[in-house]
Amino acid sequence: MLAALGFATIAVLLLVTMTKRASVLVALILLPVLAALIGGFASDLGELTLGGLSKVAPTGIMIAFAVLYFSLMVDAGLFDPLIRALLRAAQGDPLRITVATAVLTLCVALDGDGASTFLITVSALLPVYKRLGMNPLVLSGVVCLGAGVMNMVPWGGPTVRAMAALKLDSSEVFNPVLPAMGFGVAWVLVASYLLGRRERNRLGALSPPGPATDVRQVEDKPDDREPVASTAAAAAEPSRQATATTADGQEPQALRSPGDGPGAVRVPPLPRTWLNIFNLLLTITLVVCLIQEVLPLPVLFVLGFAIAVLVNHPTWEQQQALLDKHAKSVVLVTTMIFAAGVLTGILTGTKMIDEMAEAFISVVPDSFGSHLPVVVAVTGMPLSLVFTPDAYYFGVLPVLAETANGFGTDPAEVARAAILGQMTTGFPLSPLTASTFILVGMSGVSLGEHQRFIFRWALTTTLVMTAGALVTGAFSL
């Protein structure tokens, strides 16, 4: 009963979000609540919901201040040199930008933390995509592919769980699939090339025929982040040069401010080089502290934002304007995080997840026993949409490994197969992981659009790595 209710909840959630019958926020909250009521957990509903919210609270706090921090840095122009370098290297070519996105994601994701990967890469690259008119789904999709493969690293969540659940070490689980991971990285680069070529053709079809745009022209365009004084002066320029008509209808006279006549030289505001250097050093320090886990992630971002806003916007009015400007982005992302907490809290607290794991195992035919590693590898990515990482690796994987062991298959092979897809290539699409909502929220796309756009590419990544694992002997057919 509970297993069927859990599977039905996940199925309806995916259906309504992918078909846009309801917002993800509403579905994440109301569907599990309805399932809990149907399952007879009405008296425990408050405790279950609060438990889920409490578990994701640190993530929600981290995301709120991380979004504010990186939004401040984008406004301050921290990523402008990177944007200009990418534009110069890509020469305005969407294909090169897409491949560069994959390379950057593969490098940043080495820390094994999806949340920080999405925050850094999307913050840096979204302005480039907007400036060139590229589809933000390409950005979220390529970042999803790169982060998914790199989540296999030994310090990443899925591999750590697989080793802990089966009491294995890295040399038994990760080292044998390292060549397969190389296949996955190669496929991510190929997929980014194909997506980039498609995006280049789309933009070429939308653009009227004419001379190609020089990347230097794109770089020289006025920046949206002009100082307030300059913007106000530019806006006031027409009014200063307008003609004033007197009440008695006399000849109008031009109104001019001193020094703005023909031939006057406009002096741009001096660049705040010291502030740019400070922001760069602060961001590098923050990233190093994140990797080294000097303090909990929420604390690091709270402190980092407080320092950054004090230095960049020292007055109360400036700080309030910054918060007003980015409040919408913060609310959109953090509410998704807490809504996901409601879902996972109810599914876990009611033991629906445990029952779903047992039901899944019970339907695996005995004839698949000797082929379980391949079955686990191929199904791992789609099952990321159904099982939380803890439920799969601590609930499903041990039983599958024991079953395989009964057929003479090394349990380590099942663990290797699992990390080829389960919450690796699948985690940036799953509604059960909070970091997914960071990716889609910061990219400005909906979860359903993101899933429809990149699902088959992510599944192909798992299939490519599965083939690579078979070829290199990580597990047998």
Side-chain angles (χ1 to χ4, degrees):
M1 168 65 179
L2 287 180
L5 191 58
F7 281 117
T9 302
I10 297 296
V12 174
L13 172 66
L14 295 175
L15 178 64
V16 298
T17 55
M18 295 184 73
T19 59
K20 296 185 178 180
R21 298 295 178 87
S23 70
V24 177
L25 179 67
V26 172
L28 285 172
I29 296 173
L30 293 186
L31 288 176
V33 168
L34 181 60
L37 295 176
I38 295 174
F41 297 96
S43 60
D44 301 323
L45 185 59
E47 182 181 351
L48 296 173
T49 304
L50 189 59
L53 291 173
S54 300
K55 191 170 183 179
V56 300
T59 302
I61 295 169
M62 180 198 72
I63 297 311
F65 284 92
V67 170
L68 287 173
Y69 179 87
F70 284 107
S71 297
L72 186 157
M73 291 301 166
V74 170
D75 289 349
L78 175 64
F79 300 107
D80 281 0
L82 174 62
I83 293 170
R84 287 194 294 267
L86 284 174
L87 288 172
R88 189 178 298 111
Q91 299 178 356
D93 185 359
L95 189 154
R96 296 187 182 185
I97 291 292
T98 309
V99 174
T101 301
V103 173
L104 181 62
T105 303
L106 292 169
C107 294
V108 174
L110 276 170
D111 66 350
D113 181 39
S116 61
T117 298
F118 299 152
L119 287 167
I120 294 170
T121 54
V122 176
S123 296
L125 293 170
L126 185 59
V128 178
Y129 278 69
K130 286 184 175 180
R131 188 171 297 184
L132 295 180
M134 295 176 64
N135 187 352
L137 284 171
V138 175
L139 172 60
S140 65
V142 173
V143 171
C144 162
L145 296 179
V149 171
M150 297 307 295
N151 206 35
M152 292 172 57
V153 293
W155 49 89
T159 305
V160 168
R161 287 180 175 89
M163 292 187 295
L166 300 185
K167 297 178 175 57
L168 302 170
D169 58 36
S170 177
S171 63
E172 296 174 285
V173 177
F174 177 73
N175 291 3
V177 297
L178 188 55
M181 184 178 176
F183 279 75
V185 170
W187 164 250
V188 169
L189 296 176
V190 171
S192 65
Y193 174 85
L194 296 175
L195 289 169
R197 187 176 63 180
R198 189 170 71 181
E199 188 68 3
R200 175 207 277 171
N201 294 337
R202 183 186 71 85
L203 291 174
L206 292 176
S207 302
T213 302
D214 192 338
V215 67
R216 289 170 296 182
Q217 297 175 358
V218 180
E219 292 178 12
D220 292 339
K221 286 184 179 179
D223 200 305
D224 294 331
R225 292 181 299 273
E226 290 182 273
V228 176
S230 300
T231 306
E237 187 67 21
S239 62
R240 289 202 302 264
Q241 296 182 0
T243 22
T245 305
T246 60
D248 56 2
Q250 294 179 352
E251 183 70 21
Q253 297 177 349
L255 298 178
R256 293 188 182 278
S257 298
D260 69 346
V265 178
R266 293 193 176 278
V267 180
L270 293 175
R272 294 157 57 177
T273 306
W274 69 269
L275 189 57
N276 294 335
I277 294 174
F278 172 83
N279 288 335
L280 177 61
L281 293 176
L282 178 62
T283 302
I284 292 174
T285 302
L286 178 60
V287 171
V288 171
C289 290
L290 289 172
I291 296 173
Q292 297 294 327
E293 297 182 356
V294 175
L295 290 172
L297 266 63
V299 177
L300 288 173
F301 274 112
V302 167
L303 293 176
F305 173 71
I307 295 171
V309 75
L310 181 62
V311 174
N312 286 268
H313 303 279
T315 67
W316 179 88
E317 291 80 8
Q318 292 174 339
Q319 294 168 5
Q320 191 64 32
L322 175 74
L323 294 175
D324 289 341
K325 179 179 180 181
H326 299 294
K328 179 180 178 181
S329 299
V330 173
V331 170
L332 286 175
V333 177
T334 53
T335 51
M336 289 292 185
I337 300 295
F338 287 111
V342 175
L343 173 68
T344 55
I346 291 178
L347 291 183
T348 303
T350 58
K351 305 299 181 183
M352 287 187 200
I353 285 287
D354 296 338
E355 295 291 332
M356 292 163 65
E358 293 182 9
F360 172 73
I361 294 167
S362 66
V363 300
V364 177
D366 292 341
S367 58
F368 280 11
S370 58
H371 306 295
L372 266 182
V374 176
V375 174
V376 169
V378 172
T379 60
M381 183 266 155
L383 288 178
S384 299
L385 305 178
V386 179
F387 294 107
T388 63
D390 288 337
Y392 186 90
Y393 283 101
F394 295 119
V396 176
L397 184 62
V399 179
L400 291 175
E402 187 61 31
T403 303
N405 190 37
F407 287 91
T409 301
D410 187 352
E413 292 190 13
V414 180
R416 297 167 199 160
I419 65 173
L420 295 182
Q422 172 60 32
M423 283 300 172
T424 49
T425 59
F427 94 92
L429 294 92
S430 175
L432 303 177
T433 55
S435 55
T436 301
F437 298 101
I438 303 174
L439 175 60
V440 298
M442 295 192 67
S443 300
V445 300
S446 71
L447 177 63
E449 291 174 332
H450 172 66
Q451 289 173 330
R452 289 195 301 271
F453 181 83
I454 206 64
F455 181 89
R456 63 183 181 274
W457 296 90
L459 180 58
T460 304
T461 306
T462 292
L463 297 178
V464 168
M465 289 195 293
T466 301
L470 289 172
V471 170
T472 58
F475 52 79
S476 58
L477 183 61

